[in-house]
Amino acid sequence: MTSSQPAAPPWTPPRGDDVEVVRVGPYWDVLRAPIDIGERALKLLGDATGAVIADYSLMYWLIPTGHAQHWRRLRSEIRALGAHGAEITYVGVPPAAHTTGPRLHWRIPVGPDRYLTDAGRLREALARAIATEPAEEAAAR
């Protein structure tokens, strides 16, 4: 018997009320961007986005493992975090029920149909978001 339900992701956010510190690499890498650029990229991605964590002024996309080491830099404040070489990185992950901010929360929660974001699509969306940056934001950088 086959199921029409999407398969559950191999990793799920913590249950309960406590933030969990998770090592980047075993399940996913992370792309971190300032929230102003991230919100514009999120609109450009639409349904193509995977899960996204937000924390005050930053957004974190979960991307496939190994993609951080091949990320080409767009701007200094946009960083790919992964477990390549001797670098070990950890990210705070909110519980599944934390879906509102401004503190650490799921901007786009993990779900059976929403887990990792394609790194190429994300890069394209971020590049377009930077290109459409309002003049006053660009001048402040």
Side-chain angles (χ1 to χ4, degrees):
M1 178 184 204
T2 57
S3 171
S4 62
Q5 294 285 356
W11 173 88
T12 57
R15 303 280 179 221
D17 291 325
D18 295 329
V19 170
E20 185 177 308
V21 178
V22 178
R23 184 176 176 173
V24 176
Y27 301 105
W28 31 257
D29 285 351
V30 171
L31 193 285
R32 182 183 72 199
I35 203 155
D36 55 332
I37 295 169
E39 285 294 342
R40 287 193 302 278
L42 196 56
K43 286 178 186 172
L44 291 165
L45 283 166
D47 288 340
T49 191
V52 181
I53 297 169
D55 186 16
Y56 291 104
S57 64
L58 296 171
M59 292 176 79
Y60 300 82
W61 272 266
L62 306 184
I63 61 174
T65 298
H67 284 238
Q69 66 185 351
H70 303 294
W71 186 266
R72 292 185 332 246
R73 181 170 276 191
L74 291 168
R75 277 194 154 161
S76 61
E77 66 269 27
I78 298 174
R79 297 230 17 235
L81 308 172
H84 49 281
E87 179 182 319
I88 297 174
T89 306
Y90 293 87
V91 172
V93 177
H98 288 202
T99 57
T100 59
R103 293 183 181 165
L104 194 67
H105 66 282
W106 288 100
R107 174 67 176 79
I108 306 292
V110 170
D113 59 342
R114 197 169 302 269
Y115 182 45
L116 301 177
T117 301
D118 178 272
R121 279 186 165 176
L122 178 56
R123 188 178 200 303
E124 181 181 316
L126 287 166
R128 288 178 56 200
I130 291 167
T132 60
E133 185 172 28
E136 61 273 6
E137 289 178 23
R141 291 190 195 280

